[in-house]
Amino acid sequence: MASEEELFASVDALLEEKPQLPSPAERARLREAAGITQARLATALKTTTQSVKNWENGRSEPKSPRLEAYQRLLNGWAVKYPAPGAPAPAAAPQPPLVPETFTSPAALETETAVLTEAPAAPVAPERPAASRPAMSSRRPAAKKAAKPATDTRFPHGPLAVLDGDGSAYGTGGIVLDCPARTVPELVEWTLRESGLGTTKLNRYGKDSDPLIVLTAAAAVKLGLPERLEGHEQRRSLRLPEDHPVVKQVVKAKWQLTQRGFGPWARIYRKAQGNQRQCVQLAILSWDALDERSWPGVADMEPADIARVLGVYATRVITPRGSTAVSGLELMTALRPPTKAVQDPASGNWVSGYNAGSLGTEPMDPAPPEATPEHPVVVNSGWSGGFLNEEAYQWVRSVDLLTDEECTLPFAVGLDLNTAFLAAAARLVVGLSAPDHFHAPTFNPKIPGSWLVDLSHIELDPRLPSPFTPDGTRPTGPAWYQTHTVAYAQELGYNVAPIEAYLRRETGAYLDPWHDRLKTAYVDTLADLGVTRDLDDRQFLAAMEQHKQADPAMAAVLAAIKATVKGGVGKLRERPQGKGYKDGDPWPAMQRPTWRPDIRAAVISKARVNMHRKLLNMSRMTGLFPLAVLSDCVVYPSPGDSPMAFLPYAASGKPQPGGFRLGPTPGLAKLEGVQSMLWAVDLMEQGYNPARHIKGGDAVLDEGE
């Protein structure tokens, strides 16, 4: 017979156990029987409506002290509103995701190749991780919050920010409890319990791997150094192979990609059928989030970082490295290189080329499209010149300033919204290898590189030449991208190509990339109060305050713009490292997306678009620019606003053809205002006023 002491010990053990809640379905039944809404219950428990929804659909469980209060409430309702008949059964557990059989194109959307540099997607979660509502952010929520994930495999969104206390802050205000104490444990938890990930962006693509962002405290808790030093370039930062954490990863039979364990680390195993097993880590204290692309984000609270990255992931792509890397990855995610095709001989579904994509193999550029160090150039001894399709860097000669211009009080800078993105719209590029032609007839519909003499074209010297980045008149034959030569024809001049490298297969490869980023840009500006329905005066006022309206969303906007510029630059990524020798291949050029000809097409079209507006402005208003720097132009002005010199019709509507104010790509916004005397002084010293009009040094974006 048990003693009194033993019985009391058993009872005490029961008292110490955590309260057991009824099934999620029963929780919802009891609340509805009591006539209480989810919002009212959330108010009573001092939490969010979304948290209550999570409790009632089994996505998360409350934590103390809400757990005890919630159980007390449910127990009280259970007495008042007993279930009719037998108790409501517990919700059936979600079955594990079974790999699809390869019987149709839809079933063959996942790649079967062994994961190497681009690893695979997560295993479906076996059970939802315990979670709790996040504490409210100190900043107001955006008017258009990112929509929560709808894929049942990824109920908790694309990513989480892990802090040192084990709290993993996700999107939509959710906070998961992560028990991991080592990196391998973190990877296992992420794939099997977190419910993190993102559905593919194209039916032939791949799901995005879950992203875990580590704060400095979380990194230290997992055995990582708080800072990673010892290299001049941030891209070279990585743990040595003999570091204990790297050994833990290898011992647990996980692998690292070729980039190693750096600020952005991918940890993976080989794909199991159509199941990818990969987690990406971003380590904040190792400068994973570049301040230029993600201003102020690394210093935010974890919940706010999750909000910024979550909105970006929802509108653009789950970050996979720098914004430049993400921009390039987005192109491939929207235009996957392969799809399922049926083998006519066997009837089996196999992997085949996806029309409109860049394919799976790298492609050598034509010699004039390459860089001087490229093997195509070095091995062939090419000396015929190169494409020089770059962004504008032009300043008008002070000798061409009129007395009337010099007496105007202001210099006003206009900046075109995401000019490279606007140029990517409906841009036809080459998809096949280049073919060489001698003395071809020019065709503006064929993308490629043309050797042609445009030195005979004489334009107003108060405007930059549309054919050179520095705005000077060409001096003889040179290589140009199709858009540049087509613009010479548009201006009414004859062109007679000497030779050309052209591509037979063409397509608007960047169209889905443009459409997704344009929507992201416009929607994020709208969250900041800059909408399309504003008139020009309201637009200028809204732009003056938009960064202060919500710093988190302002950071998303900055990241979107950096994604556009960086993605275009990655198309012609140059070799890195001091030990590189001309003629040696480098990693970037060995991917299908190393396409300097596509980069040249984007920049050529952007520069032509700029010149067309400059020319139309001179015809409509008689005004000529002082300077141009990439997508920024400075005009002399009688007033301190663009509205003082932009052309408007009698009705008050902007005149088409010139610069127009507005929030969409290709339209303009105010870059800065200075005195005309200030601008002339800079011009006399050989400086570009467009670089400094904002009040600081602008970073010229050459698409690199």
Side-chain angles (χ1 to χ4, degrees):
M1 183 175 178
S3 66
E4 181 178 319
E5 184 177 348
E6 290 174 330
L7 291 172
F8 271 71
S10 298
V11 170
D12 288 342
L14 290 175
L15 289 174
E16 290 175 0
E17 287 188 3
K18 290 186 177 181
Q20 297 298 311
L21 297 175
S23 70
E26 177 66 2
R27 302 169 202 174
R29 185 197 72 79
L30 290 171
R31 177 185 55 74
E32 291 169 356
I36 302 298
T37 65
Q38 290 177 329
R40 187 176 173 189
L41 176 57
T43 301
L45 294 177
K46 293 181 170 50
T47 187
T48 63
T49 304
Q50 184 60 53
S51 294
V52 174
K53 291 179 180 179
N54 292 344
W55 301 342
E56 292 186 357
N57 62 25
R59 282 174 56 182
S60 64
E61 299 289 335
K63 292 292 185 181
S64 296
R66 290 189 183 89
L67 174 60
E68 290 77 13
Y70 189 33
Q71 188 197 39
R72 181 177 180 183
L73 179 62
L74 293 174
N75 288 342
W77 282 341
V79 174
K80 288 185 178 182
Y81 313 107
Q94 187 74 17
L97 187 66
V98 179
E100 299 170 337
T101 56
F102 296 113
T103 56
S104 68
L108 199 63
E109 290 167 4
T110 55
E111 65 178 3
T112 57
V114 173
L115 177 64
T116 55
E117 184 61 21
V123 174
E126 295 177 353
R127 62 182 179 85
S131 63
R132 59 181 183 276
M135 297 182 67
S136 60
S137 171
R138 294 172 294 180
R139 302 184 179 95
K143 292 191 296 182
K144 287 185 180 180
K147 294 181 181 179
T150 56
D151 193 312
T152 55
R153 295 171 299 151
F154 312 123
H156 296 149
L159 55 88
V161 181
L162 181 63
D163 208 353
D165 62 356
S167 299
Y169 296 82
T171 58
I174 197 168
V175 183
L176 308 175
D177 290 311
C178 176
R181 295 185 176 276
T182 67
V183 169
E185 288 178 2
L186 174 61
V187 173
E188 294 281 357
W189 174 84
T190 303
L191 292 176
R192 307 191 183 284
E193 299 185 41
S194 72
L196 297 173
T198 311
T199 306
K200 56 195 171 190
L201 297 179
N202 181 284
R203 61 177 297 198
Y204 300 123
K206 298 174 288 187
D207 295 329
S208 287
D209 302 319
L211 169 65
I212 301 294
V213 181
L214 303 180
T215 65
V220 171
K221 178 182 176 182
L222 294 171
L224 298 168
E226 182 174 347
R227 303 289 304 178
L228 199 55
E229 308 290 351
H231 295 279
E232 295 180 5
Q233 292 184 320
R234 190 175 66 89
R235 73 178 78 243
S236 302
L237 294 175
R238 63 186 62 190
L239 287 180
E241 293 184 2
D242 59 353
H243 190 277
V245 171
V246 176
K247 290 182 176 180
Q248 287 176 356
V249 171
V250 174
K251 185 177 180 180
K253 294 183 170 52
W254 291 97
Q255 300 180 55
L256 293 165
T257 57
Q258 293 179 7
R259 74 171 72 177
F261 205 122
W264 291 88
R266 287 181 183 177
I267 303 175
Y268 72 96
R269 284 177 182 154
K270 293 180 181 179
Q272 300 291 327
N274 70 347
Q275 289 293 314
R276 290 159 60 85
Q277 299 184 87
C278 176
V279 174
Q280 180 145 309
L281 304 181
I283 304 169
L284 293 174
S285 58
W286 295 4
D287 299 326
L289 299 181
D290 191 318
E291 177 67 19
R292 294 169 297 178
S293 302
W294 302 95
V297 176
D299 296 325
M300 292 180 179
E301 295 297 321
D304 290 323
I305 297 173
R307 179 184 169 218
V308 170
L309 297 179
V311 172
Y312 179 89
T314 301
R315 294 180 178 175
V316 181
I317 192 172
T318 302
R320 302 182 182 183
S322 67
T323 48
V325 169
S326 297
L328 197 67
E329 293 271 0
L330 180 63
M331 295 180 194
T332 304
L334 293 169
R335 292 274 200 193
T338 61
K339 68 174 183 179
V341 296
Q342 194 167 28
D343 182 358
S346 66
N348 295 331
W349 291 97
V350 296
S351 180
Y353 171 66
N354 183 25
S357 76
L358 298 183
T360 59
E361 297 298 324
M363 185 183 299
D364 280 341
E369 297 167 348
T371 56
E373 65 271 16
H374 196 283
V376 163
V377 174
V378 176
N379 296 339
S380 67
W382 173 262
S383 59
F386 299 95
L387 280 175
N388 189 24
E389 300 288 10
E390 302 294 343
Y392 266 134
Q393 290 190 72
W394 172 82
V395 180
R396 199 203 316 177
S397 170
V398 290
D399 296 335
L400 297 177
L401 294 175
T402 65
D403 292 341
E404 183 180 357
E405 287 176 319
C406 291
T407 57
L408 291 173
F410 297 103
V412 177
L414 288 177
D415 180 71
L416 296 183
N417 301 322
T418 56
F420 288 172
L421 184 61
R426 299 179 297 279
L427 176 67
V428 176
V429 300
L431 301 178
S432 58
D435 291 322
H436 192 197
F437 297 87
H438 290 280
T441 300
F442 178 69
N443 187 333
K445 295 183 178 180
I446 300 178
S449 303
W450 309 78
L451 180 63
V452 60
D453 191 348
L454 302 179
S455 62
H456 63 286
I457 299 178
E458 186 171 356
L459 301 174
D460 194 312
R462 292 173 293 179
L463 291 175
S465 167
F467 311 124
T468 60
D470 62 3
T472 59
R473 183 173 174 175
T475 58
W479 288 96
Y480 301 99
Q481 201 276 335
T482 297
H483 282 88
T484 304
V485 184
Y487 188 56
Q489 270 195 342
E490 180 183 323
L491 294 173
Y493 295 91
N494 181 53
V495 295
I498 302 167
E499 58 179 307
Y501 286 90
L502 309 177
R503 288 171 166 80
R504 300 179 187 275
E505 294 180 29
T506 65
Y509 171 71
L510 292 175
D511 260 10
W513 185 80
H514 162 271
D515 294 346
R516 185 166 177 84
L517 285 168
K518 176 183 177 180
T519 300
Y521 180 82
V522 172
D523 287 352
T524 307
L525 263 182
D527 288 338
L528 293 165
V530 185
T531 56
R532 301 192 201 195
D533 58 345
L534 302 177
D535 62 31
D536 284 1
R537 200 174 302 278
Q538 293 169 328
F539 169 73
L540 291 172
M543 285 299 296
E544 190 174 351
Q545 300 295 327
H546 78 284
K547 291 184 179 179
Q548 289 74 40
D550 186 342
M553 295 306 293
V556 175
L557 185 69
I560 292 170
K561 292 191 287 187
T563 301
V564 172
K565 295 177 178 179
V568 172
K570 278 283 184 179
L571 292 169
R572 196 190 72 166
E573 185 177 0
R574 306 290 284 268
Q576 309 291 336
K578 295 180 179 179
Y580 176 77
K581 295 180 180 179
D582 288 354
D584 290 344
W586 61 94
M589 60 160 279
Q590 299 178 58
R591 63 178 184 236
T593 49
W594 195 85
R595 291 293 302 274
D597 57 302
I598 297 180
R599 172 188 177 274
V602 172
I603 298 177
S604 168
K605 186 178 175 183
R607 198 181 66 246
V608 164
N609 287 347
M610 172 66 83
H611 190 275
R612 188 181 290 112
K613 288 180 170 63
L614 296 173
L615 183 59
N616 288 339
M617 282 285 292
S618 69
R619 292 169 175 172
M620 289 187 288
T621 68
L623 290 176
F624 292 86
L626 301 176
V628 183
L629 181 77
S630 189
D631 49 10
C632 177
V633 55
V634 178
Y635 273 101
S637 173
D640 61 355
S641 166
M643 298 181 67
F645 65 89
L646 290 179
Y648 291 89
S651 63
K653 293 185 178 180
Q655 290 277 25
F659 294 101
R660 296 178 55 187
L661 299 175
T664 55
L667 298 187
K669 59 181 178 292
L670 176 64
E671 179 73 0
V673 180
Q674 301 288 345
S675 72
M676 184 64 180
L677 183 62
W678 169 90
V680 173
D681 183 52
L682 282 183
M683 294 166 69
E684 289 178 339
Q685 297 180 60
Y687 297 118
N688 191 324
R691 186 181 295 276
H692 307 277
I693 191 75
K694 197 172 184 177
D697 287 348
V699 176
L700 172 64
D701 195 324
E702 298 177 327
E704 283 294 352

